[in-house]
Amino acid sequence: MRLNYPSNVKIINVPCTGRVDILHLLKAVEDGADGVYVAGCLEGDCHYLTGNLKAKKRVNYVKKVLEGIGMEPERVEMYNMSAAEGARFAEIAREFTQRIQELGPSPVRSGAKAA
Amino acid sequence: MKAGSKLEKVFAAGHFAVTGELGPPRGADAHHIHEKAEYLKGMVESVNVTDNQTAVVRMASMAVCRLLLDMGIEPNLQMVCRDRNRLAIQADLLGASALGIKNVLCLSGDHQKFGDHPQAKNVFDIDSIQLIAVLKKMRDEGKLINDHECEGIPQYFIGAAVNPFADPFEFRVTRLKKKIDAGVDFIQTQCIYNMEKFHTYMQQAYDQGLTEKCYVMAGITPLKSVGMARYMQKFVPGLDVPEEYIERLKGVDKKKQGDEGIKIAIEQIQEMKETKGIAGVHVMAIEWEERVEEIVSGAGLLPRPEVS
Amino acid sequence: MVVAEQKPIEEILVMVADFNKVLLTGCKGCVTVCCSGGQKEVGILASALKIARKKEGREIEIDEITLERQCDPEYVDQLEEPIASNKYDAVLSMACSVGPQYIAKRYEDILVYPCLNTTFIGGALEHGVWAEFCQACGSCGIHNFGALCPIARCAKSLMNGPCGGSAGGKCEISPETDCVWHLIYERMSRLGQLDKMGNVVMFKDWTSSRDGGPRKMVREDLKQ
C-alpha cells in the first residue's frame, strides 16, 4: 500500500498487546521516549480473548503513575485497530505524533539537559 | 422498685408513659439547654439526653442530665459504647448514680464515620447488650465486671433502644429478647412511620411474652416537612416512611406541613395507646421542643400523672 | 496474608527528595501475593522514581533487590553485602511494616523508609480485590459466629449484632460493606443454629489482643 507514517515512530513487535507490561511502558519513558502507545486489535477481536483489554488497563495504570509524578498522562495511550487497516495505522501514527509534538519533548530528557 | 425513678413509678402504676428527648449543644452554652428543657417540663416523665449523638461532639450527656435535675426534670442518661472502654463506662455510671441520675439508656453508638471527627479511634470494648449486663450486675449484685464489690450500690432503671425496621427483620424480636435476657427494664424504639410493619413486630414480641418482661415505648418523631420525610426515607437505615404520610404532607399548604406532621404524630400515639404491649411513647421532636406540648396534649395525655 | 498497598508516589518522592542513591527492597512473601511489594512492583516503583527525578534534572540511582522474606533475619542478612559495598543514602522497603523494622534493627546506621501502607490481614475476593478478615485479637472464636469474624468484619466489632444500622444485608457505614452480622444470621440459619444467636455473648477478654501490650509467641521446642 506504500502508506507513509512518521519516521519517529519506532515499532516494537509483540505477539499480542497482552504481552505489554507496565514496566515496558515505564522503561520507554524512563529512557527518554517522548510518548509511547500501544496498538492493539479491536476490542472483542483479540485472538487470545482479552490481551488488548489487559493492555488497556496497564496503559491506564501507567497514566496514573505519570500523573502521580507530575508528568502528562497523554504521553501514553492505547489505540485499537484491525490488522487489515493499514490506513488507520498510519493515521494513528500521525495523530499521536502530532499530540506529542504539541506536548513537546519529554521532561525526562529536557530535565537531564538542564542538570 | 429497681431505682424508683419517676419513669419507673409511672410504669408501675400502670399509666401510659411519655418521655422526651434533648440534644446537648455543640458548645458550653447552658442557657440554651434551659430554654429547650423548659418546653418539656410537665409534658413528659423524663427526658433522654443524647450522648455525642450521630458521633458529633456535644456537651457531655451526664453534665446536661445534672442540669435537668437542677431544673426539676428527670433525665435519661444515654450512654454509647463507641467513646469509652469498660473502665470509663463503669466510672461514668458510678458518677451518674452519685449525681442522682437513675434512668440510663444503653446504646452502641453511631459509627464515627458520619460524625464531626471521622478520624477518631473508636472503642467498642463492649457492645450495647453487654452494657445492659454491666448495669444489671452493678445494681443487682453490687459488683463491677471484674467482680469487685462496689462501695455503695448504684440504682438504675435500665433502658435500651431497638430498631424494629432494621434487617434481618425476622431476627429483630430475638434481639429484643437478648436485651431482656441481659437485664433491660424499658425499651424505646426507633421512630416509627411504617405502622403495619411495627404492628407485625409488636405482635411477635407480645406473643412471646416479651412485653410482660419490659416496658416498650414506641418512638414518635413528628414530620416537619415533605423534605424531612424524604430525608428519613432515603438516609436513615430501615426507616421506611410510607408514601401515604408524604402524600398527606404534600396535600397541605407548605406553611401548614408542620401542623399536618403533628396531626399524624397524634394519630400515631392514639394508635399506640390501643396497641397490645405498648407501655408508652418516646417523643423525639428534634429541635422542635416547643411543639411537644401540642402533641402530648393532642393525644390526650395531659396532665401527666402524679406519682410518689 | 498481610495485605498492604503502595504509598502514593508523591509521598515516596518526598521521602527520597534529598537522596542520590538508594536500595529498594521487595519481599517475596505476602506482599508479592497481594501484588504490592514483589519483584515486579519494585521494578515499577524504581522506574517511576527514576523518571520523576530525571524530569527534575537530578537523577537518582536505585538498586533493586527482592528478598525471600523480610520478616526473617536470615534473609535480611542478605542485604549486608550490597549495603557494605555501596554508599546508599537510605534503604526503602516494599514489605509490610515488619520488613523495614527488621532492616533497621539489623543495619543500625542506615536510614530506612517504608514504601507500603500495611492495611490488614485478609484475602483476595477476586483478582485485584482484597478484603479484611482478621484483626488478630489473639483468641479466635469465629466458630460461635458461623465461622465469620464479627470483630474484624463488623464496623463496631459487636458481639451481639446485627445492630439497628443493618439494611438489606449492608452495613450503615457504606453500601459497599457487607453487614457481617447479616451473613452470620444467614449462615447460622442454614446450619440450623439460629437458637445459638439468641444467647447473649458476654464481655470479650482483650488481653490476648494488642490491648495487652505488644505480643510475642514462644515455641520452646523450636527455640535454640
Side-chain angles (χ1 to χ4, degrees), chain A residues 8-82:
Chain A
N8 55 289
V9 176
K10 301 274 173 280
I11 295 174
I12 297 167
N13 291 310
V14 285
C16 166
T17 52
R19 178 65 188 87
V20 178
D21 192 77
I22 290 169
L23 206 47
H24 294 138
L25 302 172
L26 279 176
K27 283 290 174 193
V29 177
E30 186 187 328
D31 291 343
D34 296 314
V36 195
Y37 71 95
V38 180
C41 298
L42 292 170
E43 288 188 11
D45 279 355
C46 178
H47 183 68
Y48 304 100
L49 306 175
T50 58
N52 50 1
L53 300 177
K54 284 181 179 140
K56 184 179 168 185
K57 286 184 182 172
R58 289 170 192 155
V59 166
N60 286 335
Y61 186 94
V62 173
K63 279 174 175 285
K64 275 198 193 129
V65 171
L66 293 186
E67 253 184 293
I69 60 175
M71 202 162 156
E72 306 92 339
E74 299 81 16
R75 288 188 187 273
V76 292
E77 203 52 81
M78 177 80 200
Y79 289 102
N80 298 90
M81 66 205 75
S82 148

